[in-house]
Amino acid sequence: MRTIHGKTIIITGASSGFGEATALACAAAGANVSLVARRKAELERVARLARQAGGRALVCPADVSDDGQILAAVDRTRAEFGAIDVLFNNAGTNMSARSIADTTPEQWRWLMDVNLTSAFVFTRAVLDEMKTRGEGLIINLASQAGVRPSLLAGVSYSASKLGMDALTRVTNEEGNPHGVRACLFNPGLGNTPIIENRGTPFSHEQRANMIQSEDIAATVVFLCSLPPRVNIDLISMLPTQK
Ligand SMILES: NC(=O)c1ccc[n+]([C@@H]2O[C@H](COP(=O)([O-])OP(=O)(O)OC[C@H]3O[C@@H](n4cnc5c(N)ncnc54)[C@H](OP(=O)(O)O)[C@@H]3O)[C@@H](O)[C@H]2O)c1
């Protein structure tokens, strides 16, 4: 296993849930973490914890539905830490409209921008540099909703997560000959703030049986620690208790 000490990792959606836990786990392993999300105060809180854990941390407030803000975050990361070793495309959201009938084209486009186009724009911003260096890892956090699209998850959310599959496959096709690897990471239900938007609240016991943020974080640290000859292109993570 390789150490991730000194590696530079961009983590989108780092202000809570999976992204926050991953930032702290990477920082504890000595990585430089670049933290991207909209809520600056939350990013600053995570950055303080990341520095206490032993890593260097940079706060990059950005709305990932805005290409310009994405490119600015990548530029700031390079200026602070140098070349980017790992990109964790994790930012994502959902909305109350789930059916085709209830979803407006504007809502569909917005969710695609946040959940899918952002990952494409981030990938495009780092891929050339990774190919030139002959190494790089891109982890696309999608969902079981992309494997089994449903009304429960919603038409826009399911389509955006299924799109991450195509983005990951093409990233591998384009990147593998140059040493760049991409992983599609599909978790099932996780105990994070995003599930508070579901209609019925979950009990304490139900939440305890879900995937926890630290499970995602440990998996990302593991992926980052593998030698460049190994490409884990797909991870399916399910709660044991359904
Ligand atoms: N929890 C689950 O059950 C589950 C299952 C499968 C997949 N996922 C996926 O896991 C990823 C992380 O979600 P989570 O479960 O950790 O929920 P979460 O705690 O709500 O985290 C979502 C993160 O995305 C960021 N984000 C949302 N919209 C953004 C925007 N426009 N620009 C920048 N950042 C934005 C949020 O930050 P700000 O609000 O500060 O911008 C937050 O940091 C998402 O892609 C989600 O779809 C979750």
Side-chain angles (χ1 to χ4, degrees), residues 126-136 175 178-180:
V126 303
L127 188 58
D128 266 356
E129 179 188 64
M130 288 179 171
K131 282 162 70 177
T132 303
R133 295 175 72 222
E135 198 177 320
H178 306 276
V180 180

Side-chain angles (χ1 to χ4, degrees), residues 45-60:
R45 176 185 60 77
V46 175
R48 275 194 299 277
L49 294 172
R51 289 178 195 121
Q52 283 166 17
R56 293 166 69 201
L58 176 69
V59 167
C60 291

